[in-house]
């Protein structure tokens, strides 16, 4: 992998979490990255910006609000479920997504290739739900957006979604062993997401959502276990004890600390794990809540600020 570094100001307009997720791509330490532009992507940013000096973020808030409304109102109409009909619907909604302010901003703010594509999932029977995902690659390395869409559509229609998930893992450059482990969904074993996060035992659940908590309160001894470095990407569930993922994570960590304050990089890894933990336990029979902004500590709020603003908070400015 490359040992190159770059100037973090190149990503200054991105949300801080997005900048830290995508920066390693630009220096060759990750093959690709992606961000699911779910309801919480918009709601968390809007919540943070509205509760700060909203006058300073008027244009940003307006763009997010307009884009969120487009996402919420997007719809598809299928007379029947086939690769052809779903692919046609996907291409139509793809154009809608490409033209909205937030996707335009992501493309203009990332100095590489940024693809924003619809993503479909089955919801039982012939039910289909869809959302939006942004992919990030080095300049010239991105696959065709149409290829991603087609593979997703085929997986949904032919009920081979696991094959699409494997393809996605390859786009991100995840270790093959971790992809294999994620595909192992034996009914006799816990879900791979749960197996992954339970490889570490450092989280203080009682501090999740606690008023005034820090991510270091929630994960006080996180980096004492070398497996912490395996959580180098958002919503990536490494195989428990995977040395390849740990090595990859150390490489990502070292690359990030050439451009960002080390405190911010450490917080990013902690937040990656905490997010994975809450996602994993939302899948258990007991259920669990997906994390609203701030529920994973004050640093969770900073993560949704534009990078240039996050770098100015005392925790990171002093670093």
């Amino acid at each position: 992998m490359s040992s190159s570094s770059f100037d973090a100001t190149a990503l200054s307009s991105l949300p801080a979490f997005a900048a830290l997720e995508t920066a390693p791509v630009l220096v060759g330490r990750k093959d690709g990255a992606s961000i699911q532009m779910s309801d919480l992507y918009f709601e968390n940013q809007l919540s943070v910006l509205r509760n700060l000096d909203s006058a300073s973020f008027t244009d940003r808030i307006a763009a997010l609000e307009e884009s969120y409304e487009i996402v919420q109102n997007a719809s598809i109409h299928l007379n029947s479920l086939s690769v052809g009909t779903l692919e046609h619907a996907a291409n139509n909604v793809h154009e809608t997504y490409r033209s909205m302010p937030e996707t335009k901003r992501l493309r203009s703010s990332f100095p590489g290739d940024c693809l924003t594509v619809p993503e479909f999932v089955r919801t039982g029977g012939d039910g289909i739900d869809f959302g939006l995902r942004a992919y990030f690659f080095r300049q010239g390395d991105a696959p065709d957006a149409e290829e991603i869409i087609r593979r997703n559509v085929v997986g949904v229609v032919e009920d081979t979604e696991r094959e699409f998930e494997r393809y996605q893992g390859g786009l991100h450059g995840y270790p093959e062993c971790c992809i294999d482990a994620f595909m192992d969904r034996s009914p006799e074993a816990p879900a791979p997401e749960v197996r992954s996060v339970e490889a570490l035992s450092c989280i203080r659940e009682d501090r999740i959502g606690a008023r005034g908590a820090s991510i270091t309160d929630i994960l006080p001894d996180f980096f004492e276990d070398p497996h912490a470095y395996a959580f180098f990407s958002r919503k990536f569930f490494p195989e428990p004890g995977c040395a390849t993922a740990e090595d990859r994570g150390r490489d990502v960590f070292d690359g990030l600390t050439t451009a960002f304050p080390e405190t911010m990089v450490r917080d990013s890894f902690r937040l990656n794990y905490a997010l994975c933990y809450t996602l994993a336990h939302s899948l258990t029979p007991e259920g669990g809540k997906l994390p609203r902004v701030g529920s994973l500590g004050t640093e969770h709020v900073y993560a949704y600020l534009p990078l240039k603003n996050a770098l100015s908070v005392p925790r990171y400015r002093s670093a």
Side-chain angles (χ1 to χ4, degrees), residues 204-250:
R204 294 177 60 193
E205 290 185 345
D206 62 304
R207 299 300 293 162
I208 295 177
R211 186 177 181 85
S214 165
I215 188 62
T216 54
D217 297 329
I218 297 169
L219 291 166
D221 303 316
F222 183 63
F223 284 100
E224 291 187 10
D225 190 322
H227 194 59
Y229 291 94
F231 290 87
F232 60 84
S233 195
R234 286 170 59 86
K235 301 184 181 180
F236 166 55
F237 293 89
E239 181 183 21
C242 178
T244 303
E246 291 173 17
D247 290 344
R248 188 77 52 83
R250 287 183 183 277

Side-chain angles (χ1 to χ4, degrees), residues 164-221:
F164 177 66
E165 290 178 354
R166 182 177 292 279
Y167 169 70
Q168 280 186 308
L171 291 180
H172 293 76
Y174 295 154
E176 283 293 330
C177 53
C178 294
I179 297 174
D180 289 341
F182 190 77
M183 296 295 106
D184 179 12
R185 293 184 176 272
S186 168
E188 289 78 32
E193 294 91 344
V194 175
R195 297 198 305 268
S196 176
V197 299
E198 288 185 349
L200 294 174
S201 58
C202 54
I203 196 161
R204 294 177 60 193
E205 290 185 345
D206 62 304
R207 299 300 293 162
I208 295 177
R211 186 177 181 85
S214 165
I215 188 62
T216 54
D217 297 329
I218 297 169
L219 291 166
D221 303 316

Side-chain angles (χ1 to χ4, degrees), residues 14 37 41 102-110 114 134:
L14 290 177
M37 299 175 70
Y41 172 88
E102 183 64 5
T103 54
K104 288 180 178 179
R105 190 185 66 84
L106 289 178
R107 292 197 298 272
S108 65
S109 299
F110 181 72
C114 174

Side-chain angles (χ1 to χ4, degrees), residues 107-152:
R107 292 197 298 272
S108 65
S109 299
F110 181 72
D113 292 339
C114 174
L115 309 178
T116 49
V117 300
E119 186 168 276
F120 297 85
V121 295
R122 270 192 185 271
T123 57
D126 286 342
I128 301 292
D129 196 5
F130 69 98
L132 173 62
R133 184 177 294 272
Y135 289 89
F136 303 84
F137 301 94
R138 288 183 296 280
Q139 191 73 42
D141 285 356
D144 290 336
E146 292 74 14
E147 174 66 10
I148 298 175
I149 292 171
R150 179 164 181 81
R151 285 176 177 264
N152 177 213

